[in-house]
Amino acid sequence: MANAALGVNEQTPRQIVAELDKYIVGQAEAKKSVAIALRNRWRSRQLTGPMQDEVIPKNILMIGSTGVGKTEIARRLAKLVKAPFVKVEATKFTEVGYVGRDVETIVRDLAEAAVRMVRQQRMDAVQEKAAALAEERILDVFVPQPKKTQNPLGRLFGGGDDEAETTEQEPKKYQAGRDWVKKRLTKGELEKELIEVEVEESSRPMIGMFSGSSLENMGDNIQDMLGNMMPKRHRKRKVTVAEARKIFTQQEAEKLIDMDAVSEEACQVAERCGIVFLDEIDKVAVHDGTGGADVSREGVQRDILPIVEGTTVMTKYGPVKTDHVLFIAAGAFHLAKPSDLIPELQGRFPIRVELQSLRKEDFEKILTEPQNALLKQYRALLETEGVELEFRPEAISRIAQLACDVNDQSEDIGARRLHTLLEKLLEDVSFDAPDMEEKHVVVDEAYVDTKLADIVVNRDLTQYIL
Ligand SMILES: Nc1ncnc2c1ncn2[C@@H]1O[C@H](COP(=O)(O)OP(=O)(O)OP(=O)(O)O)[C@@H](O)[C@H]1O
Ligand SMILES: [Mg+2]
């Protein structure tokens, strides 16, 4: 393989957990098993010979009630891993109109992700070369190549001295012109100059026609076919030199890479390193004693099974074997239990981790600590209006406590409760912000109690249930 590092994270489990810690509070167990699974990827890459094939990843099943961070872990993982990553909701396959939607699309999407990765990596590798070629093309626009002697006959018959002179002069003048423009380009003097460039029209008129149906992939293939058959449409655009440089560099880089090789490597990377996150898996489990839709749910499980077990799916980039793909499934399992999944599928998820229900201390941290913490978000939003929000520690503690209470007394919707509470808490500031005279708002315990009085006093919580 061209690049051993592609698709494998070098971080140690500790480093991976530390990375996840930046966004997700608690749930140490889930983070740990995910980190181990990633590290095992790296380990198996170090193996040689048949052993490498023998080691297949241990799939993970994450169980935890709603709003405790399952999907959030997946989202953060997607950003963190250097592997092709696909996140899909199992319920997608039972939706009206999706019935019979080919679960193989999961693998096709994985291949697609891998192609994007490999392609990007190769584009990066030729970046310098492409940039140099792009510079030449910009020079061509300013100082076009001199035309070859227009009249070959004139030359044949030795049509006078002046003609001979121009043919000798031209290259010199041309070179001098280019050197001059080049100098100015390097100095950045021409960046804002407008030039005309030719761009390819990326028209895919049929897009959307098949989307959402099982014809989707067929549609894709037809589009590819037609795309290749029809001549590419070109369009002239006036852009600045700076933009032209970007466009040309992109075009040149594309010319420099070999898409067949990309496809081939991508399929390998997808097979070896691919990770599929199957969210909402509990929604396709069948809790006994009900009919109707359950048939299709169980059908979905049966459809998913071969892919998790290991099968070969034909993608437009080539065949992809799923034996070594890592699957992480997650579900709240409120109604159904993991044991309501068909046994074969259960068996494919040997690692079970439970996510903990969130408590007051967790809520306090969720409000303040993650890099995108809710309070930070609100503060940043209101700052755009020139309003400075200050949250006192007692206020934060109070909000966390309220979230906890409401979750206990009505439905436990985890950290989502914080979203509803904060929205209510800051409703007035959000509305008044542009007209406010006093631009400094202090949110203390009293403020929280006033704004959330309904909840504090009558505890009629029904209206805060999502
Ligand atoms: N442990 C946590 N740390 C930080 N934020 C969290 C945590 N748990 C949940 N959140 C926040 O709460 C919201 C809902 O979380 P998430 O989507 O992960 O829930 P979920 O576990 O997937 O629930 P569901 O079963 O309903 O899909 C997100 O905005 C997320 O950022
Ligand atoms: Mg979720």
Side-chain angles (χ1 to χ4, degrees), residues 330-353:
F333 291 101
H334 280 169
L335 295 172
K337 300 267 158 304
S339 55
D340 291 327
L341 290 168
I342 57 172
E344 299 95 309
L345 199 58
Q346 286 179 48
R348 293 295 146 191
F349 289 90
I351 302 178
R352 304 273 166 95
V353 281

Side-chain angles (χ1 to χ4, degrees), residues 23-27 64-73 75 279-280 331-332 358 366 370 415-416 419:
Y23 300 95
I24 298 141
V25 170
Q27 314 306 7
S65 61
T66 185
V68 295
K70 301 182 296 294
T71 304
E72 193 64 28
I73 289 180
R75 257 203 298 270
D279 211 351
E280 316 278 356
L358 299 167
I366 291 173
R416 287 204 183 90
H419 294 247

Side-chain angles (χ1 to χ4, degrees), residues 88-122:
V88 61
E89 274 101 53
T91 43
K92 266 264 176 291
F93 304 108
T94 53
E95 280 167 24
V96 184
Y98 278 85
V99 177
R101 184 183 148 137
D102 206 351
V103 296
E104 289 186 350
T105 48
I106 299 174
V107 184
R108 297 205 180 95
D109 289 349
L110 199 62
E112 203 76 51
V115 165
R116 270 199 301 275
M117 260 175 63
V118 175
R119 187 162 165 271
Q120 191 55 52
Q121 196 208 28
R122 295 195 174 200

Side-chain angles (χ1 to χ4, degrees), residues 120-134 245-246 248-250 252-254 256-257:
Q120 191 55 52
Q121 196 208 28
R122 295 195 174 200
M123 297 264 276
D124 290 347
V126 297
Q127 198 61 27
E128 225 167 277
K129 208 166 161 190
L133 289 168
R245 186 176 289 112
K246 273 189 216 142
F248 286 160
T249 309
Q250 179 80 11
E252 292 301 322
E254 269 166 23
L256 284 170
I257 59 172

Side-chain angles (χ1 to χ4, degrees), residues 173-227:
K173 259 172 41 194
Y174 166 68
Q175 198 52 49
R178 273 178 96 87
D179 286 347
W180 184 72
V181 174
K182 192 165 190 160
K183 221 179 264 167
R184 295 192 58 193
L185 270 178
T186 330
K187 279 193 202 151
E189 291 173 356
L190 300 173
E191 292 308 282
K192 296 220 172 73
E193 214 69 22
L194 285 180
I195 58 173
E196 205 169 63
V197 299
E198 215 168 65
V199 287
E200 250 168 42
E201 196 106 285
S202 56
S203 63
R204 301 189 84 192
M206 303 212 311
I207 210 143
M209 222 163 108
F210 297 111
S211 63
S213 72
S214 53
L215 286 176
E216 204 169 3
N217 289 292
M218 210 175 89
D220 252 6
N221 289 338
I222 293 172
Q223 275 172 25
D224 277 358
M225 251 167 57
L226 290 179

Side-chain angles (χ1 to χ4, degrees), residues 243-276:
E243 275 172 76
R245 186 176 289 112
K246 273 189 216 142
I247 295 171
F248 286 160
T249 309
Q250 179 80 11
Q251 288 176 350
E252 292 301 322
E254 269 166 23
K255 276 191 232 158
L256 284 170
I257 59 172
D258 171 3
M259 269 319 278
D260 287 337
V262 169
S263 299
E264 196 179 318
E265 193 189 341
C267 287
Q268 287 178 22
V269 172
E271 282 182 357
R272 284 275 150 206
C273 317
I275 300 176
V276 173

Side-chain angles (χ1 to χ4, degrees), residues 229-404:
M229 264 154 49
M230 287 190 294
K232 292 239 161 62
R233 276 204 289 169
H234 292 276
R235 197 161 55 91
K236 283 205 157 87
R237 265 180 67 196
K238 263 202 159 50
V239 296
T240 63
V241 166
E243 275 172 76
R245 186 176 289 112
K246 273 189 216 142
I247 295 171
F248 286 160
T249 309
Q250 179 80 11
Q251 288 176 350
E252 292 301 322
E254 269 166 23
K255 276 191 232 158
L256 284 170
I257 59 172
D258 171 3
M259 269 319 278
D260 287 337
V262 169
S263 299
E264 196 179 318
E265 193 189 341
C267 287
Q268 287 178 22
V269 172
E271 282 182 357
R272 284 275 150 206
C273 317
I275 300 176
V276 173
F277 194 95
L278 274 173
D279 211 351
E280 316 278 356
I281 190 83
D282 56 323
K283 304 284 183 344
V284 296
V286 183
H287 191 52
D288 49 31
T290 34
D294 290 350
V295 182
S296 82
R297 289 198 217 153
E298 199 175 311
V300 172
Q301 293 183 58
R302 298 216 174 275
D303 285 347
I304 292 175
L305 186 61
I307 292 184
V308 180
E309 264 185 324
T311 181
T312 302
V313 173
M314 200 53 211
T315 72
K316 66 181 179 201
Y317 304 104
V320 173
K321 241 170 64 182
T322 62
D323 297 60
H324 287 85
V325 172
L326 171 68
F327 290 86
I328 304 175
F333 291 101
H334 280 169
L335 295 172
K337 300 267 158 304
S339 55
D340 291 327
L341 290 168
I342 57 172
E344 299 95 309
L345 199 58
Q346 286 179 48
R348 293 295 146 191
F349 289 90
I351 302 178
R352 304 273 166 95
V353 281
E354 284 193 30
L355 283 87
Q356 305 307 313
S357 183
L358 299 167
R359 305 313 307 162
K360 184 185 170 214
E361 301 76 58
D362 301 317
F363 287 141
E364 278 181 31
K365 286 186 187 153
I366 291 173
L367 283 171
T368 51
E369 283 178 9
Q371 289 196 348
N372 58 340
L374 278 173
L375 296 190
K376 291 182 191 168
Q377 290 183 23
Y378 275 103
R379 223 169 334 187
L381 270 180
L382 286 170
E383 219 170 75
T384 62
E385 303 267 16
V387 173
E388 192 195 342
L389 265 184
E390 187 190 333
F391 292 95
R392 290 278 157 80
E394 327 85 68
I396 295 170
S397 160
R398 188 93 183 108
I399 299 168
Q401 185 61 56
L402 277 172
C404 226

